[in-house]
């Protein structure tokens, strides 16, 4: 079987050709424009994304099946008759709805947690979709005419490419509008946010099939992080992976029952295949991982990725230098959109190498917070499998192993989202994960280092204002 595995991500659209046996090669990758029309706003052009999918798919031909991974929480509005996009894509990083969510009371927060499993955070799709309905005349006109469609990017892609208006359960679980227990759209959550439930797509299993593109069946559509979880070979409760892309995302398999929320991590759907029970997971993220590294490159702290692989001497953190990578705020387990980045501990001898090293260490330390929070909820496997750009930095991975006090496993084949998509289509790619490198804790990160970083996080918290502090604290408390 030859599968065109399309990863439509935050910064680019990639297509890998995956064959039985696990052989995978990138056939195309196209970056797309990031729009920042206002502070905290992040948008994409849906037509550009759609065109890029078509382009990369042509370069993979011939194939037997197509699978598409989506960005998760990114969403938009379009005309159900013409297919015309009525808005840009509001990206998962976008925080424009923070003020609106801050006006909701603690009771709404509790109900959101109870029904959808998710906090009232602008990260998720619900408030973004409601913003489109409230603020865009074209969206309101389409709603009045009975032509409006709302959804995450997968539903738009499938509608335009295949004529199938649908989403899968895992993607729906990222919206804040899903009844997580019943796995149907929640009328209560739609009413809370102001999202017309009749405009949302039908929900289907991940491998339900979504029609064809030029005669080739689209067999699978799912969130990129859930595809990566499957691609890591995580099947048993406690199996855990972390993907280091634009953000860092931890998912751990929880089994066939909805997991209890705890430690600031969230219950979510991992996948649901036809005629099989739903598999749940717990998840948490760091908003800025690769994004923080790219920021450091942009401001001149380094120029090539090779510079991230090794550093001389002891860690920057052990020398009192810390960085909290909260450019977009702090995600799990803090859930603080008012947090801001903090560099602290510099002196006259501090140079750019020290600072870029501190960026890597800060990403690792926030990730350790996710690992520790996950361990409070489920009994995690001893080793944690990672992928993504930062998994290629030996220094970063060794520091993460030492800071987390856990073995960190790096598969030689690091395109795990593509492997997961292909496996969900039915391809056999297990041999691709056979070659791994394991990094073991070496005791180089001390309790004093952890305490020093915790103090830095405290300084970053709520830096952008006190007005919403009680609300955001309530997110964690409930």
């Amino acid at each position: 079987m030859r599968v065109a595995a399309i990863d439509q991500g935050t910064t680019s659209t990639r297509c890998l050709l995956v064959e039985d046996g696990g052989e995978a090669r990138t056939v195309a990758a196209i970056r797309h424009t990031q729009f920042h029309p206002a502070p905290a706003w992040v948008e994409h052009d849906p037509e550009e994304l759609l065109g890029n999918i078509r382009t990369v798919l042509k370069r993979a031909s011939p194939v037997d099946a197509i699978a598409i991974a989506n960005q998760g929480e990114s969403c938009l509005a379009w005309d159900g008759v013409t297919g015309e996009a009525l808005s840009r894509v509001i990206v998962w990083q976008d925080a424009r709805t923070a003020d609106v969510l801050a006006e909701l009371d603690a009771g709404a927060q509790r109900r959101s947690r109870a029904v959808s499993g998710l906090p009232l955070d602008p990260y998720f799709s619900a408030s973004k979709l409601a913003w489109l309905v409230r603020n865009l005349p074209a969206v309101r006109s389409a709603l009045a005419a009975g032509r409006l469609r709302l959804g995450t990017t997968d539903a738009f892609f499938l509608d335009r490419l295949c004529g199938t208006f649908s989403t899968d359960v895992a993607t729906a679980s990222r919206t804040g509008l899903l009844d997580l227990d019943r796995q149907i759209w929640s009328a209560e959550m739609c009413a809370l946010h102001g999202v017309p439930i009749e405009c949302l797509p039908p929900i289907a299993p991940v491998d339900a099939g979504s029609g064809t593109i030029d005669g080739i069946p689209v067999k699978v559509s799912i969130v990129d992080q859930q595809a990566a979880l499957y691609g890591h070979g995580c099947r048993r409760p406690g199996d855990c992976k972390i993907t280091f892309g634009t953000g860092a995302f931890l998912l751990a398999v929880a089994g066939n029952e909805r997991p209890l929320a705890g430690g600031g991590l969230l219950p979510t759907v991992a996948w649901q295949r036809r005629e099989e029970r739903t598999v749940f997971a717990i998840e948490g993220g760091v908003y800025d991982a690769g994004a923080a590294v790219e920021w450091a490159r942009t401001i001149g702290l380094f120029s090539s990725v090779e510079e991230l692989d090794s550093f001389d001497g002891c860690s920057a953190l052990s020398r009192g230098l810390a960085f909290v990578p909260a450019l977009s705020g702090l995600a799990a387990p803090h859930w603080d959109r008012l947090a801001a980045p903090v560099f602290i501990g510099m002196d006259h001898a501090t140079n750019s190498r020290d600072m870029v090293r501190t960026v890597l260490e800060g990403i690792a330390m926030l990730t350790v917070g996710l690992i520790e929070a996950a361990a409070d909820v489920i009994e995690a496997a001893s080793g944690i499998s990672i992928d993504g750009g930062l998994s290629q930095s030996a220094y970063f991975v060794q520091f993460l192993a030492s800071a987390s006090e856990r073995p960190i496993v790096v598969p030689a084949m690091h395109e795990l989202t593509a492997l997961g998509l292909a496996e969900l289509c039915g391809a056999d790619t297990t041999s691709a994960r056979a070659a791994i490198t394991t990094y073991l804790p070496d005791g180089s990160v001390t309790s004093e280092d952890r305490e020093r970083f915790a103090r830095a996080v405290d300084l970053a918290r709520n830096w952008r204002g006190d007005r919403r502090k009680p609300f955001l604290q309530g997110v964690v408390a409930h």
Side-chain angles (χ1 to χ4, degrees):
M1 174 182 287
R2 290 164 58 90
V3 178
I6 298 172
D7 185 356
Q8 202 299 292
T10 308
T11 59
S12 69
T13 302
R14 296 158 50 77
C15 182
L16 285 92
L17 183 62
V18 186
E19 303 190 50
D20 278 326
E23 182 180 347
R25 60 184 177 89
T26 302
V27 295
I30 305 174
R31 293 181 69 86
H32 54 261
T33 306
Q34 311 286 321
F35 298 94
H36 303 276
W41 291 32
V42 188
E43 298 179 344
H44 295 156
D45 178 351
E47 297 296 341
E48 182 184 11
L49 301 185
L50 195 65
N52 290 349
I53 290 175
R54 290 190 175 109
T55 298
V56 300
L57 183 57
K58 286 179 181 178
R59 297 180 188 174
S61 184
V63 294
D64 303 305
I66 298 167
I68 304 175
N70 67 77
Q71 298 179 31
E73 301 77 10
S74 302
C75 57
L76 72 158
W78 66 102
D79 188 304
V81 176
T82 67
E84 176 190 4
L86 301 176
S87 73
R88 282 180 175 171
V89 174
I90 303 182
V91 181
W92 59 270
Q93 297 164 303
D94 190 288
R96 73 184 66 184
T97 61
D99 286 335
V100 173
L101 292 175
E103 294 172 0
L104 298 175
D105 61 21
Q109 181 64 240
R110 285 191 292 270
R111 289 304 299 159
S112 181
R113 287 278 195 167
V115 176
S116 73
L118 304 181
L120 296 173
D121 189 273
Y123 173 42
F124 305 107
S125 312
S127 62
K128 303 178 192 295
L129 293 170
W131 187 94
L132 295 172
V133 174
R134 285 195 309 271
N135 291 280
L136 299 187
V139 174
R140 293 198 300 273
S141 295
L143 175 61
R147 300 161 60 109
L148 179 62
R149 287 185 172 173
L150 296 169
T152 40
T153 55
D154 61 317
F156 175 70
F157 299 149
L158 296 177
D159 198 12
R160 287 283 296 272
L161 294 169
C162 310
T164 301
F165 181 45
S166 70
T167 190
D168 76 289
V169 182
T171 305
S173 74
R174 310 307 305 146
T175 63
L177 299 173
L178 186 75
D179 184 322
L180 195 58
D181 293 324
R182 301 168 64 199
Q183 291 159 46
I184 61 173
W185 295 122
S186 165
E188 180 184 357
M189 290 297 101
C190 287
L192 173 67
H193 290 279
V195 175
I197 194 170
E198 68 274 12
C199 299
L200 297 173
I203 300 171
V206 61
D207 54 353
S210 304
T212 64
I213 302 175
D214 297 332
I216 304 169
V218 178
K219 288 193 171 183
V220 165
S221 176
I222 193 171
V223 185
D224 52 6
Q225 299 306 322
Q226 274 79 339
L229 182 67
Y230 205 87
H232 276 274
C234 297
R235 304 288 188 274
R236 299 168 299 178
D239 286 351
C240 179
K241 73 89 192 174
I242 306 171
T243 297
F244 291 94
T246 301
F249 299 96
L250 175 149
L251 276 88
V253 177
N256 296 121
E257 302 294 333
R258 171 178 172 168
L260 297 175
L265 298 192
L266 308 175
T268 191
V269 172
W271 56 78
Q272 193 262 309
R273 307 190 70 174
R274 289 177 298 175
E275 300 179 3
E276 293 183 7
R277 295 181 65 190
T278 300
V279 176
F280 289 90
I282 57 171
E283 68 95 16
V286 175
Y287 288 135
D288 299 292
V293 174
E294 177 62 16
W295 170 79
R297 186 196 64 78
T298 300
I299 65 172
L301 294 185
F302 74 102
S303 57
S304 68
V305 294
E306 290 75 19
E307 298 174 51
L308 307 180
D309 205 45
S310 64
F311 297 85
D312 296 328
C314 57
S315 71
L317 188 57
S318 69
R319 290 181 280 120
L321 187 60
F323 175 64
V324 181
L327 287 88
S328 304
L330 292 170
H334 310 284
W335 297 110
D336 184 352
R337 282 286 190 166
L338 299 179
V342 169
F343 259 123
I344 193 167
M346 294 84 75
D347 58 28
H348 292 292
T350 303
N351 58 33
S352 61
R353 290 291 288 163
D354 294 325
M355 295 183 76
V356 72
R357 183 179 193 171
T358 305
V359 170
L360 298 182
E361 293 176 7
I363 297 166
M365 292 303 294
L366 283 187
T367 304
V368 170
L370 301 179
I371 295 170
E372 293 174 346
D376 291 338
V377 180
I378 63 173
E379 184 176 347
S382 59
I384 296 174
S385 186
I386 72 170
D387 68 309
L390 280 170
S391 70
Q392 305 308 299
S393 165
Y395 180 82
F396 175 82
V397 181
Q398 182 59 64
F399 187 90
L400 179 63
S402 300
S404 66
E405 300 182 320
R406 292 175 180 270
I408 302 296
V409 175
V410 183
M413 167 58 183
H414 57 272
E415 298 289 358
L416 280 304
T417 296
L419 285 189
L421 289 171
E423 288 187 353
L424 286 165
C425 285
D428 179 8
T429 69
T430 52
S431 62
R433 294 191 299 270
I436 61 172
T437 302
T438 301
Y439 293 76
L440 300 175
D442 62 8
S444 60
V445 180
T446 66
S447 59
E448 289 80 5
D449 296 332
R450 296 183 182 89
E451 173 59 27
R452 183 176 293 117
F453 187 77
R455 296 204 312 271
V457 170
D458 286 341
L459 291 173
R461 293 293 305 271
N462 198 48
W463 181 261
R464 293 185 171 102
D466 294 326
R467 185 160 49 90
R468 294 194 296 269
K469 188 172 183 179
F471 165 77
L472 289 162
Q473 289 176 333
V475 170
V476 177
H478 296 289

